Amino acid sequence: MNAPQKAQEAMMTTPYYEAVGKEKLVFKAAYNQGLSILLKGPTGCGKTRFVEAMAHELNRPLITVSCHDDLTTADLVGRFLLKGGETQWVDGPLTRAVREGAICYLDEVVEARKDTTVVLHPLSDHRRQLPIERLGITLDAAPGFCLVVSYNPGYQSILKDLKDSTRQRMVAIEFDYPAPETEQTILIQESGVTADTAEQLITLAQAIRRLETGGLREVASTRVLIAAARLTTEGLSLREAARYAIAAPLSDDPQVTAGLNKMIEAYLTE
C-alpha cells in the first residue's frame, strides 16, 4: 500500500477542539447507540480535529484513512501478501478497526470509488458486520467500533456524491467555519499568537469568505489561518505569512492571487 493509501493509526493525546454547537452531544449519542456518523462541511473547518477529539474523549483508538479514487475494497478490508515465501492475509484498516473496536474515520469518503464504499453498508446499519469474501467469513464489530465518514458538500457532483443508500445509514452532523470569537480562541490555542494577530487573520478570512466565488474553489479555512499564525511565530511578518499560507494555497490564478494579496495589504498590519 503506497503512502496515500496508508492508514494513520494512533491513540489521541489531548487534541484541542472548541465546540460550536451540539456536535459533541450528537456524536456521543450516535456512538452509544452503535450508529455510523457522517460529517459534512467545507475544507479545513475542523471535521478531522473533531473526530480526533472525540476519539480521545471516548478513549478509543482512531484509525484514519484518506480516501482517493484509487482506493479499492482490498485497501480497506485487506489482502493476501507474500511474506517469507508464504502467502499471508493482512488486515486492512477497516478490518483492524472492526476487530479492535476502534473508531474508523474515512476522510473525504466521496473520493473513493462507489464500488468500494458499498462494503460499508452492512457495517453502517443494524447488522454492524463486515463480510470478508476472500476469507469466507463475516466479522461482527467489536464493542466500541464506530464508523465515521466525512466529505465536503461543495465538491458534490453527479460523479462524486455519496450514495443515498449510504447516507441514510448514518447520522449526519453539519459543520461550518466557527464564529469569530470561537475561531479566535482556536487560533490562539493552536499557534500561540496574540489575540490581536488572531483577530486580524479572522477579519481577513471573513472578507475572503464574503467573496462571491471570485475564481476561488474554496475560501480561507480555519486550517490556513492556523498555518499563517504559526509562520508568524517563526519570524515572518503577518502579511508575509498570509501570502504564503493563505493567498498562495487558495489559487494558482495570477489575477486571483493578486486580488488576495491586495486584501492582505488592506486588512493586515505589519
Side-chain angles (χ1 to χ4, degrees), residues 148-246:
V148 183
V149 305
S150 72
Y151 77 101
N152 179 353
Y155 287 159
Q156 278 185 273
S157 68
I158 295 176
L159 297 178
K160 287 192 175 182
D161 194 4
L162 201 59
K163 292 167 64 73
D164 289 336
S165 56
T166 305
R167 294 161 65 100
Q168 293 187 28
R169 286 173 160 83
M170 301 181 177
V171 173
I173 303 176
E174 295 195 34
F175 283 72
D176 202 347
Y177 299 119
E181 58 275 12
T182 301
E183 198 163 30
Q184 183 178 24
T185 301
I186 293 170
L187 260 64
I188 294 170
Q189 174 71 28
E190 291 291 322
S191 65
V193 296
T194 65
D196 177 67
T197 296
E199 185 177 1
Q200 287 193 63
L201 286 170
I202 291 165
T203 301
L204 171 65
Q206 289 177 313
I208 295 174
R209 292 167 188 170
R210 287 193 295 268
L211 294 174
E212 294 186 5
T213 64
L216 294 175
R217 290 198 307 170
E218 287 285 348
V219 293
S221 67
T222 305
R223 178 183 295 139
V224 299
L225 298 186
I226 293 171
R230 286 180 171 173
L231 288 180
T232 66
T233 66
E234 295 295 330
L236 274 73
S237 72
L238 188 52
R239 288 177 177 174
E240 288 174 334
R243 291 187 194 106
Y244 286 107
I246 299 176

Side-chain angles (χ1 to χ4, degrees), residues 1-7 66 68 70-71 75 79:
M1 193 178 294
N2 59 32
Q5 294 172 321
K6 186 178 291 184
S66 297
H68 51 86
D70 289 327
L71 188 74
D75 292 330
R79 51 166 55 88

Side-chain angles (χ1 to χ4, degrees), residues 11 16 23 37 47 55 61 63 68 73 78 97 100 106 108 148 168 172 183 193 234 241 268 270:
M11 287 292 291
Y16 178 78
E23 64 271 24
I37 300 167
K47 300 187 294 295
I63 298 177
H68 51 86
T73 302
E100 299 169 12
L106 304 184
E108 295 296 346
V148 183
Q168 293 187 28
E183 198 163 30
V193 296
E234 295 295 330
L268 303 182
E270 290 292 354

